[in-house]
Amino acid sequence: MTDRELLLAAQEVRKNAYAPYSDFAVGAALLCEDGRVFTGCNVENHSYPAGCCAERVALFSAVAAGVRRFKAIAVTGWQRDVAGRPCMPCGICRQALSEFSYDLRVITGTPDDILTHNLQELLPFAFGM
Ligand code: THU
């Protein structure tokens, strides 16, 4: 699975985003160490805090399937006025992902202009007990 393929999977699942309040559709594709890919989109709600980000939907699906080690996550977002700007994972999602794979590769941008970061770089000194 290449970074490009993972980003394309994120773009595909982004089509299912339920984002009537923000109009910001996000897709995420999480590559597990065993090669499986779990995807997620953001799901909003009338009661705003009840919604969930695409990254955590993908992460929690994977954990519910018994997977706890991950290699990479691709994230893609879209809204009219931020077109062209990469969609980076929010702070809560960075923390949630760090619980399982602090060395995760984070893939953003577009299939033709891919950006990669390490989660440790995006969330230095993550909280842990
Ligand atoms: N969102 C994500 O899905 N992932 C992020 O990392 C940042 C934000 C969603 C949440 C909400 O549905 C919309 O984008 C606007 O914040």
Side-chain angles (χ1 to χ4, degrees):
M1 171 69 65
T2 64
D3 290 356
R4 181 185 164 80
E5 287 169 336
L6 204 60
L7 206 47
L8 289 172
Q11 284 189 343
E12 188 60 30
V13 70
R14 191 181 64 201
K15 294 173 186 167
N16 297 331
Y18 178 72
Y21 307 107
S22 71
D23 192 28
F24 193 95
V26 183
L30 183 62
L31 177 63
C32 309
E33 277 194 354
D34 66 9
R36 277 189 282 173
V37 174
F38 288 83
T39 58
C41 60
N42 54 332
V43 182
E44 298 184 347
N45 191 274
H46 273 121
S47 172
Y48 288 11
C52 192
C53 291
E55 297 92 320
R56 276 175 290 146
V57 170
L59 174 65
F60 297 161
S61 298
V63 173
V67 187
R68 295 182 180 178
R69 288 294 306 163
F70 309 103
K71 280 161 82 167
I73 189 167
V75 183
T76 183
W78 171 262
Q79 192 187 40
R80 287 180 300 278
D81 57 351
V82 295
R85 210 174 77 187
C87 177
M88 302 300 293
C90 78
I92 295 173
C93 289
R94 294 179 198 196
Q95 177 67 37
L97 290 162
S98 76
E99 178 87 16
F100 297 95
S101 296
Y102 199 25
D103 54 352
L104 193 72
R105 291 178 58 245
V106 178
I107 301 158
T108 58
T110 68
D112 296 323
D113 186 14
I114 291 174
L115 286 173
T116 61
H117 295 89
N118 188 282
L119 184 57
Q120 291 182 40
E121 174 194 345
L122 298 180
L123 186 71
F125 305 104
F127 176 74
M129 290 191 292

